[in-house]
Amino acid sequence: MTNVRAALVTGASRGIGRAILLRLARDGFDVAGTATSDTGMQAIDETLRSQGLAGRAYQLRVQDEGSVETLLARMKADDFSPLVLVNNAGITRDNLLLRMSSDEWQEVIDTNVTALYRLCKPLLRAMTKARWGRIVNLSSVVARMGNAGQTNYAASKAAIEGFSRALAQEVGSRNVTVNVVAPGFIETEMTEVLSEEQKGQMMSRIPLGRMGSVDDVASLVAYLASESAGYVTGETIHVNGGMYMA
Ligand SMILES: NC(=O)c1ccc[n+]([C@@H]2O[C@H](COP(=O)([O-])OP(=O)(O)OC[C@H]3O[C@@H](n4cnc5c(N)ncnc54)[C@H](OP(=O)(O)O)[C@@H]3O)[C@@H](O)[C@H]2O)c1
């Protein structure tokens, strides 16, 4: 790599996004991570500093168009122009469909899917100009397997996969790749809330016999962001210990 490339990771205050941010910083990218709150932004700053790494934090609520506009303006003011975009921020609002409120449905769709439209579109401009770009979107094994109580989440993650295949075809000629990483059962706050019974059921379906770590996911994202992955696009790559074999 001749010049240091900038990378933006959404939802980097904790969990998988935090691990991705650290990994990309270690791999030599000029990184920025987003969080929804000041506390989350402080967490990003402290995490980077404690590991002796440089980088910055921005505030972003992906479901809010105004917040996206503010982020874009701040990045422009900082002359921070990402050629790597990792759409990691995501939420669950689980409920059986018969009991699911329209808010539970809409929040998940806005946060997990519409965010991709809002972020990829403006950030693609610099990537196509540079004739180099990497977009990595986070899906979930649930997009393929389904999961009772997660119709909203499964629909959102399946949409991310379709979106990515279509966009990969649009921007391939500009040397911009668009790929999806689909984690299985990863140890984070998102899975901490599951009961021991739910965790036991999940574990019995994992041939590798353990939950995944955030670094298992970050390694795959780092590969897709690297020069080595230059001929991989439109793919969904699973990192799930064999729980689902595509
Ligand atoms: N954990 C798993 O087992 C698993 C499995 C499959 C897929 N995934 C996917 O992997 C990604 C990361 O999951 P995770 O487990 O690391 O999640 P997590 O621990 O719940 O962290 C979520 C991150 O997203 C941010 N975020 C939440 N709502 C947001 C919003 N409206 N706008 C912008 N940022 C927002 C959070 O920021 P704040 O700290 O500011 O709230 C946080 O940084 C998600 O897309 C998830 O669907 C996770």
Side-chain angles (χ1 to χ4, degrees), residues 26-213:
R26 283 194 199 103
D27 286 359
F29 289 95
D30 177 14
V31 295
T34 76
T36 59
S37 64
D38 289 342
T39 320
M41 286 165 65
Q42 277 162 21
I44 291 172
D45 281 336
E46 277 159 27
T47 303
L48 287 166
R49 210 171 330 115
S50 71
Q51 311 261 332
L53 296 164
R56 59 190 97 203
Y58 291 108
Q59 190 162 24
L60 173 68
R61 291 178 312 279
V62 285
Q63 77 281 26
D64 173 353
E65 208 170 346
S67 173
V68 175
E69 291 302 324
T70 305
L71 168 76
L72 296 173
R74 294 215 167 114
M75 289 198 301
K76 194 171 178 199
D78 291 347
D79 203 15
F80 183 81
S81 180
L83 295 184
V84 175
L85 168 63
V86 183
N87 285 302
N88 165 78
I91 58 163
T92 52
R93 293 286 180 272
D94 297 353
N95 216 338
L96 296 173
L97 186 70
L98 285 173
R99 293 191 199 131
M100 189 176 288
S101 69
S102 63
D103 281 353
E104 286 168 337
W105 172 266
Q106 203 57 50
E107 264 182 68
V108 169
I109 299 300
D110 288 347
T111 308
N112 296 2
V113 188
T114 310
L116 267 61
Y117 165 78
R118 295 217 170 103
L119 286 170
C120 291
K121 191 177 164 182
L123 295 187
L124 264 172
R125 199 163 300 148
M127 297 183 202
T128 55
K129 199 168 163 206
R131 293 285 194 276
W132 195 96
R134 301 278 193 262
I135 296 176
V136 183
N137 299 322
L138 271 285
S139 173
S140 165
V141 69
V142 163
R144 303 286 176 98
M145 291 180 70
N147 194 22
Q150 292 199 311
T151 51
N152 49 0
Y153 184 72
S156 76
K157 293 303 189 182
I160 287 171
E161 296 185 18
F163 172 98
S164 304
R165 284 191 288 269
L167 184 59
Q169 294 183 29
E170 292 183 15
V171 297
S173 63
R174 305 301 169 99
N175 198 31
V176 176
T177 67
V178 186
N179 290 291
V180 176
V181 167
F185 191 30
I186 311 297
E187 254 181 310
T188 65
E189 284 175 33
M190 193 178 260
T191 48
E192 232 170 54
V193 296
L194 297 175
S195 68
E196 285 310 310
E197 192 192 343
Q198 284 170 314
K199 285 187 186 174
Q201 276 172 7
M202 290 278 203
M203 291 290 279
S204 68
R205 289 149 78 183
I206 304 174
L208 286 179
R210 66 171 175 89
M211 285 177 79
S213 73

